[in-house]
Amino acid sequence: MYSSSCDNNFDQLNTNKVSATAIDPGFQLNAAIVGCAYPNGSLVYDIGVVQQIISPNSGVLTGANYNQDNRASTQELWQSYYRNVIKNTRDVISKIQSDPARANLLQMTRIIQAFAFMVLTDDYGSIPYFEGGVGYSQQVYFPVYDSQDAIYTDIIKELTEATAALNLSGKVETADILYAGDLNKWKSFGYSLLLRAGMRLSQVNASKAQQVVQAAFQGGVILSNSDNAKIAHDPNYTNTIGNLLNSTEASNFYLTKPFVDYLRSKNDPRLSAIAVTYVGAKSGPEQTAASGTYAASVHKGMPMGNDNAGAVKAASDAGLSSFYEFAQADRRRIANNYAPNFLVTASQNFLLLAEARERGWITAGTVESYYNAGVKAHMDQLGRVDAGSVIAPAAADAYLAANPFDEAKALEMINTQYWVSSFMNGPEAFANFRRSGYPLLTSNPFPGKEVEFINRLTYPNSEISVNSENVQAAISAQGADNLATKVWWDK
């Protein structure tokens, strides 16, 4: 009797009637898009490698400023993207690949997945690709690593097929947080990624690169800041790096001397738009809004390769009160909590098209016109991030008049501008720096550096311990798992 009374209505009593039993795949795609935001490890490594922002601190912040391996930071992108992006895109694809009513959602998901895999393979080289992220759907718990050559072949296939398959007459996925279901913008995004993928091949397969770039250009890439692919942030979901720079590490990261010196040497209005100096600051608490100035003439960048003691001396040598007076990316404007994460921008595309035109891979337009448009688009983009960073069109015109395009230095000028244009987009700035060789940077002088320049990020310790057989196979094929080994397209 006691047993039967306990069993009475047992299923009803123990069923959670408010817990979701299914998730719309569209919401999972949104989770993947949000997951594409660059993690803090990208600040420590990607942005540091290209010498835009560094920290003199050691410990968890050790990285590009020291040219040393710090797997606590190098693993962040890997874990963030596989857990938050690839896991969701794989799940969405497995759910809807046979559902014609969600065909457009399927293609959108393939495009986001291609973006994420491109970022991963560009930073690490060989990665789990064909078996990556299918632990749930296919029970593959120890995925093999694929060569970057094979990965890029499939990424190009995925982008080509998915972008072409977007059906303007099909279901509109209005819940989409990237473009609110605007398929024309999704097509431009897909072709923009195809352009980027094609340009990555410039040093390893020029004929294939030309073919892919032409297809992307003919398809139509993003050429307006209104169409930029970006993750918008708000109080419910803040910018990861912006949150770091506005909290625990607010006074620990600084613009570098190479970056500030370059902008100052060109009298570039973007220096005032992105930088702040806290005049007279001798500590973090003294970096107040009242002591801040945007004046380019005041900004001084922190020299590369200094620990805390070295930064103190460098500040003294520069005539500053302390190293807290070095210029910073302004955390109240360009690096605020709600600043967007840009995935692909019109400025980047214009500059890639300038290079493609210089190489003769496209015939429309002129190198100079694409170059000028790229510079102007970035200056306009900054003002869209924050009203305090607006650069007047007349100032952009004056900059180009004072620093005219020089055909003899075309590739250097184009890719140096790409470096500036990709500020705060660490993975893309890092990738294009290695591909193009520009800007011309000097290796930092830190005495304990492990390499002259960092060429890739190292694999997470969790992969080495859990998926060791496949990791070792990848290392045998690619090269040592260190910061010096180059990825396939980096020649």
Side-chain angles (χ1 to χ4, degrees):
M1 177 67 71
Y2 176 79
S3 175
S4 63
S5 65
C6 283
D7 289 342
N8 190 32
N9 298 323
F10 181 84
D11 289 344
Q12 294 181 20
L13 291 170
N14 289 277
T15 298
N16 187 337
K17 297 181 180 180
V18 298
S19 178
T21 57
I23 301 174
D24 188 298
F27 296 144
Q28 281 190 273
L29 174 59
N30 284 343
I33 292 170
V34 169
C36 289
Y38 312 119
N40 293 329
S42 182
L43 177 64
V44 175
Y45 273 96
D46 297 322
I47 296 175
V49 173
V50 299
Q51 300 184 10
Q52 291 178 329
I53 300 176
I54 54 170
S55 172
N57 289 9
S58 55
V60 295
L61 301 184
T62 300
N65 184 45
Y66 291 78
N67 270 24
Q68 292 178 344
D69 192 5
N70 171 18
R71 299 193 186 217
S73 291
T74 60
Q75 70 179 355
E76 283 193 24
L77 180 71
W78 181 288
Q79 293 179 342
S80 176
Y81 268 43
Y82 273 111
R83 293 173 181 175
N84 301 322
V85 185
I86 304 303
K87 178 181 178 181
N88 278 301
T89 57
R90 291 293 199 197
D91 193 25
V92 171
I93 291 170
S94 69
K95 286 179 179 179
I96 66 173
Q97 57 188 347
S98 300
D99 182 359
R102 306 305 291 272
N104 280 329
L105 181 64
L106 174 65
Q107 311 313 330
M108 292 154 62
T109 304
R110 292 171 73 187
I111 291 170
I112 286 295
Q113 182 169 274
F115 167 83
F117 270 129
M118 195 187 308
V119 172
L120 284 165
T121 189
D122 286 347
D123 262 21
Y124 298 95
S126 298
I127 58 170
Y129 178 77
F130 293 102
E131 294 183 354
V134 297
Y136 175 76
S137 60
Q138 299 180 32
Q139 288 76 57
V140 177
Y141 305 120
F142 305 104
V144 299
Y145 282 53
D146 300 290
S147 70
Q148 193 172 56
D149 185 357
I151 292 170
Y152 257 88
T153 297
D154 198 68
I155 284 176
I156 289 168
K157 177 190 76 69
E158 283 292 288
L159 289 171
T160 301
E161 292 179 357
T163 306
L166 287 169
N167 181 5
L168 300 180
S169 301
K171 177 180 172 60
V172 177
E173 300 287 346
T174 55
D176 149 42
I177 61 171
L178 191 62
Y179 287 125
D182 189 326
L183 295 180
N184 284 309
K185 292 184 178 181
W186 270 97
K187 278 184 174 287
S188 295
F189 176 40
Y191 284 124
S192 297
L193 292 175
L194 191 63
L195 170 64
R196 181 177 289 182
M199 294 303 295
R200 286 285 196 274
L201 307 184
S202 61
Q203 303 302 323
V204 290
N205 190 339
S207 60
K208 179 66 173 179
Q210 179 177 1
Q211 174 190 338
V212 174
V213 166
Q214 286 177 344
F217 179 65
Q218 291 166 4
V221 301
I222 295 168
L223 296 177
S224 167
N225 280 328
S226 298
D227 299 338
N228 285 344
K230 66 181 187 294
I231 304 168
H233 295 288
D234 58 31
N236 296 314
Y237 183 73
T238 57
N239 183 303
T240 304
I241 293 176
N243 187 56
L244 182 77
L245 295 178
N246 279 278
S247 55
T248 57
E249 307 300 341
S251 59
N252 292 328
F253 283 91
Y254 295 86
L255 293 175
T256 70
K257 179 176 172 57
F259 190 54
V260 172
D261 285 357
Y262 175 78
L263 295 175
R264 285 187 65 179
S265 71
K266 305 295 183 182
N267 197 25
D268 194 322
R270 285 173 288 189
L271 180 56
S272 295
I274 65 176
V276 64
T277 292
Y278 296 102
V279 179
K282 298 182 179 64
S283 66
E286 292 185 24
Q287 292 182 331
T288 64
S291 68
T293 179
Y294 302 153
S297 60
V298 177
H299 298 323
K300 294 183 180 180
M302 181 178 285
M304 293 293 298
N306 285 294
D307 57 14
N308 282 107
V312 169
K313 182 180 185 303
S316 177
D317 292 344
L320 304 180
S321 300
S322 73
F323 70 70
Y324 294 100
E325 204 176 358
F326 280 118
Q328 292 183 298
D330 188 6
R331 55 184 179 267
R332 294 177 176 89
R333 294 182 298 161
I334 194 71
N336 68 62
N337 280 333
Y338 311 142
N341 265 129
F342 289 99
L343 308 181
V344 179
T345 67
S347 174
Q348 291 170 330
N349 283 345
F350 276 123
L351 293 167
L352 290 181
L353 291 177
E355 180 174 344
R357 184 68 181 87
E358 172 67 20
R359 293 180 179 276
W361 293 350
I362 60 174
T363 56
T366 66
V367 180
E368 183 175 3
S369 64
Y370 288 128
Y371 173 86
N372 290 344
V375 173
K376 288 183 178 181
H378 185 239
M379 291 187 182
D380 175 70
Q381 176 189 320
L382 293 175
R384 292 168 183 251
V385 174
D386 191 275
S389 296
V390 169
I391 296 173
D397 291 337
Y399 171 81
L400 289 169
N403 302 278
F405 178 72
D406 183 352
E407 178 63 36
K409 298 179 179 178
L411 292 181
E412 178 180 355
M413 292 188 70
I414 291 166
N415 287 290
T416 300
Q417 285 295 333
Y418 199 92
W419 172 59
V420 179
S421 175
S422 299
F423 181 65
M424 300 303 288
N425 183 339
E428 184 57 21
F430 180 33
N432 199 68
F433 166 62
R434 287 172 291 159
R435 178 193 71 83
S436 70
Y438 298 110
L440 297 173
L441 300 174
T442 302
S443 176
N444 80 57
F446 188 73
K449 63 185 178 184
E450 297 176 8
V451 293
E452 287 300 308
F453 271 102
I454 295 172
N455 293 318
R456 63 176 287 273
L457 302 189
T458 52
Y459 296 130
N461 288 328
S462 57
E463 275 293 293
I464 294 171
S465 61
V466 174
N467 196 17
S468 58
E469 183 176 341
N470 289 318
V471 172
Q472 291 305 317
I475 292 171
S476 296
Q478 176 174 263
D481 182 29
N482 58 33
L483 302 174
T485 297
K486 292 186 175 185
V487 300
W488 166 73
W489 49 250
D490 181 12
K491 300 297 183 183

